[in-house]
Amino acid sequence: MAYIVDLRSDTVTKPTESMKHAMVNSAVGDDVFGEDPTVNALESKVANLLGKQAALFVPSGTMANLIAIMVHCNKRGSEAIVGNLAHIYKYEQGGAAHVAGVLLSTVQNKPDGTFDLQEVENRIRGSDIHEPITSMVAIENTHNVCGGKVLPLQWIDELSELCKRHSIPLHMDGARLLNASAYLEVPAERIVRGCDSVALCFSKGLSAPVGSAIVGSCHFIQQARRMRKMLGGGMRQSGVLAAAAIVALDEIAPKLALDHKRAQRLGKVIEGLFLKTFSVDVASQHTNMVLVRIAEHSPLCAESVLARLAQVSLAETQGDCKTPDDEGVIVKAICFNDKTIRLTLHTEISDNDLWLAIMKITYVFKELEAAHPLIS
Ligand SMILES: Cc1ncc(COP(=O)(O)O)c(C=O)c1O
């Protein structure tokens, strides 16, 4: 069997031994009655970490975002403004419309994950009887589709001021907020200071098996708790899961910067190959994701490159990609679009795994460039 280095996503991370130990030994109760001590401990811990009054443990990031939308946009005819590359818009099945009856109105994301503040201000509506009522603005930090980009603090602060001027709540999809905190070297609390609600995932780079938190004021969380129950997210003895999330915050969060360092190393190696077909913009790479662009004039597409990375040729097993059992290496990644591949570093990727991935990617990229020159 070939050795697999799985760089598809940080969501592939499995619970660590200490998480499993904590899960087995967790004190539990019925959380729908508010009686699970481990869930209560996690919720206080996250609220403290983000400098907000209260938090709620929910099954997923998608549910956390949907609950935020349902609480903030609780009038019929509401809309939420989001970036056109936001996870909420692209990858949550339009749950806002589907379940909550809320219109998602998009503004164009820039490559750094931000959007134009003037455009947001121009788009706010609701005073005219013909218009929907803008009831929320949502941002994403780090920004997934933009390659794990960290939003600039000043931009978040300015957007927050704008939202306050118009009395519109600001929500942050902070699925990977702690990656942003590690990159900026500032507490998460500072990053979300101007946000009314925040969603934070434990099951991405933090390696817990399940769960997210939604954080905000006591009043917001009271309503969020009602929404969670209605959506079927009341989880009873969920301390078993919260226990892993607590370990994730204590033991994995402090190590996120190492994933970023490894992502830099991988990006620099690809950049340093000076290939015409494959490029990486390492200077704009912030956290644990490496975006590899395939040149427009290349006949290759992301799918075909991924298919090659998932195969082992005979020549490879005799060359640099050799593993101890001579079976070769497979690198798994995902394609973002026809010409973009995403490689994501996470806590299960050791230095040795990274080295094997680098050898394999170098080999395959050189081979593909030689076999498929650019079309002039
Ligand atoms: C930025 C962002 N928000 C939300 C989610 C949704 O999280 P979940 O898969 O837990 O529903 C994801 C998942 O990858 C994400 O990347």
Side-chain angles (χ1 to χ4, degrees), residues 98-314:
H98 204 140
V99 182
V102 171
L103 173 70
L104 290 180
S105 176
T106 58
V107 285
Q108 175 115 21
N109 272 120
K110 297 181 186 175
D112 67 356
T114 66
F115 33 72
D116 186 66
L117 296 183
Q118 191 55 55
E119 191 185 346
V120 174
E121 190 142 34
N122 296 343
R123 293 286 286 279
I124 292 172
R125 49 195 182 159
S127 51
D128 184 312
I129 196 172
H130 300 89
E131 298 170 337
I133 307 157
T134 306
S135 304
M136 166 181 170
V137 175
I139 53 178
E140 186 172 313
N141 199 13
T142 64
H143 200 292
N144 186 348
V145 172
C146 294
K149 290 280 177 5
V150 176
L151 301 178
L153 280 181
Q154 197 187 335
W155 181 80
I156 302 174
D157 290 347
E158 284 171 19
L159 176 60
S160 162
E161 282 306 311
L162 187 162
C163 288
K164 282 192 175 66
R165 276 202 306 279
H166 292 273
S167 304
I168 294 172
L170 177 61
H171 172 72
M172 183 184 287
D173 174 358
R176 296 180 180 82
L177 172 64
L178 299 190
N179 291 85
S181 167
Y183 171 76
L184 293 171
E185 296 181 346
V186 303
E189 172 185 2
R190 165 65 190 91
I191 301 174
V192 304
R193 197 163 67 189
C195 298
D196 299 279
S197 59
V198 184
L200 169 77
C201 288
F202 304 115
S203 61
K204 311 265 173 323
L206 293 182
S207 200
V210 179
S212 285
I214 178 150
V215 186
S217 67
C218 289
H219 180 64
F220 171 84
I221 292 298
Q222 245 172 23
Q223 296 168 79
R225 196 175 288 280
R226 277 189 65 80
M227 293 301 163
R228 182 186 68 172
K229 189 75 187 81
M230 188 268 293
L231 292 170
M235 293 185 289
R236 308 296 177 185
Q237 285 74 34
S238 42
V240 174
L241 302 172
I246 291 173
V247 175
L249 292 174
D250 290 341
E251 296 181 8
I252 308 296
K255 296 196 290 191
L256 289 174
L258 192 55
D259 298 338
H260 303 175
K261 217 165 121 187
R262 291 187 174 126
Q264 279 286 321
R265 205 180 313 157
L266 177 57
K268 279 184 183 151
V269 168
I270 299 172
E271 195 179 50
L273 296 174
F274 298 110
L275 296 173
K276 292 195 175 76
T277 309
F278 301 99
S279 63
V280 172
D281 181 7
V282 184
S284 72
Q285 189 178 299
H286 293 165
T287 57
N288 60 334
M289 296 174 186
V290 180
L291 293 188
V292 181
R293 315 263 181 210
I294 301 168
E296 275 308 313
H297 295 297
S298 168
L300 293 163
C301 66
E303 286 287 2
S304 59
V305 176
L306 293 194
R308 177 61 189 92
L309 285 169
Q311 284 167 2
V312 178
S313 68
L314 190 61

Side-chain angles (χ1 to χ4, degrees), residues 83-104:
N84 66 325
L85 300 178
H87 198 277
I88 288 178
Y89 181 64
K90 280 179 73 84
Y91 300 122
E92 297 180 10
Q93 277 195 27
H98 204 140
V99 182
V102 171
L103 173 70
L104 290 180

Side-chain angles (χ1 to χ4, degrees), residues 47-62:
N48 264 334
L49 182 71
L50 301 196
K52 303 287 181 205
Q53 289 176 346
L56 184 71
F57 186 45
V58 297
S60 68
T62 302

